[in-house]
Amino acid sequence: MLLQVLGRYSPFPAPNGACPGYLLEHQGEHILLECGSGVLSRLPARVPIAGLSTVILSHLHSDHCSDVSVLRYAADARLRLGWHDRPVYVYAPPEPADEFRRLAYREAMVLESIAPGAVLTVGGFRVEFFPVSHSLPGVAMRITAGGRILAYSGDTGPCPGVVEAAQGADLFLCEATLQDGDGPGTRLGHLTGGEAGRLAGAAGVDRLVLTHFFPGHHPEERAGEARAYFSGRVEVAQEGALYQV
């Protein structure tokens, strides 16, 4: 399984950066996790729009789904122009309901709801969903393909669901939005680098890749915080980089 980071910033992109977007590839099948601002412009460099079958959103904050509003035009064009005969399937938590309904588009975008406890199969991918602690309903994900496991935290504060999703993962893609020492009033369901490191240690993961950085913060500082609590491999997600899971 291959992972490419298309965007790593939140709640808005840094200059020349993008909000969250992560492309998975296995045996010719592609899944896009998140589709935030700037992600769609980077997607075709790795896979043509005609080759994308599935988008999975952890929750419906705009920094994770705003480019779906543009992707739908590309999905519509690929049907009208004969690039593909299938729609793009979009999976997301169903709340807020108004935001959820906006994701569907004609015959081009088919919308399906997901919830903790659900299991989704896409080609050779198996995706399991777990509850998280965030300001909107959301999920963490455990993605298995080719005998390898990728865990993705989504947006969350520390909670048992993230540890369960990441248990024994080969690669744990985990948000690290906050600096250690940020007070409760700034949190709103996010992690510091140190908390990400603690969760990685509790889950026994092999490799921790940090993402979801506030523009202007220094990602390497978040990695240093994580290393104080996790003795395994810790990296900072780099936009455009490919990771073998």
Side-chain angles (χ1 to χ4, degrees), residues 58-59 61 64 93 116 129-141 152-165 172 174-175 177-178 184 186-192 195 199 212:
S58 67
H59 67 290
H61 275 141
H64 287 249
F129 301 101
F130 297 82
V132 296
S133 175
H134 193 50
S135 55
L136 281 184
V139 292
M141 304 177 206
Y152 171 52
S153 68
D155 280 15
T156 185
C159 67
V162 179
V163 176
E164 188 176 0
F172 180 27
C174 186
E175 74 130 283
T177 312
L178 304 175
T186 67
R187 303 189 66 85
L188 299 175
H190 288 292
L191 297 170
T192 67
E195 288 168 339
L199 291 172
H212 204 273

Side-chain angles (χ1 to χ4, degrees), residues 43-57:
L43 180 66
R46 183 67 186 173
V47 57
I49 296 297
L52 181 67
S53 67
T54 305
V55 178
I56 305 177
L57 306 175

Side-chain angles (χ1 to χ4, degrees), residues 13-28:
N16 301 311
C19 285
Y22 313 100
L23 184 66
L24 302 182
E25 179 181 347
H26 177 66
Q27 295 181 342

Side-chain angles (χ1 to χ4, degrees), residues 29-119:
E29 188 76 44
H30 295 85
I31 293 177
L32 179 62
L33 304 182
E34 318 290 31
C35 192
S37 177
V39 168
L40 189 58
S41 68
R42 294 177 168 180
L43 180 66
R46 183 67 186 173
V47 57
I49 296 297
L52 181 67
S53 67
T54 305
V55 178
I56 305 177
L57 306 175
S58 67
H59 67 290
L60 297 182
H61 275 141
S62 294
D63 56 323
H64 287 249
C65 65
S66 62
D67 268 14
V68 173
S69 296
V70 183
L71 175 61
R72 63 187 185 177
Y73 301 128
D76 187 54
R78 80 178 195 170
L79 289 181
R80 289 188 292 101
L81 298 175
W83 299 346
H84 209 299
D85 58 1
R86 291 189 303 163
V88 175
Y89 289 84
V90 179
Y91 298 86
E95 299 293 335
D98 287 348
E99 298 291 336
F100 180 73
R101 286 192 294 268
R102 289 191 192 102
L103 300 175
Y105 191 70
R106 299 177 179 172
E107 297 83 15
M109 302 277 274
V110 174
L111 182 59
E112 300 283 351
S113 66
I114 56 175
V119 178

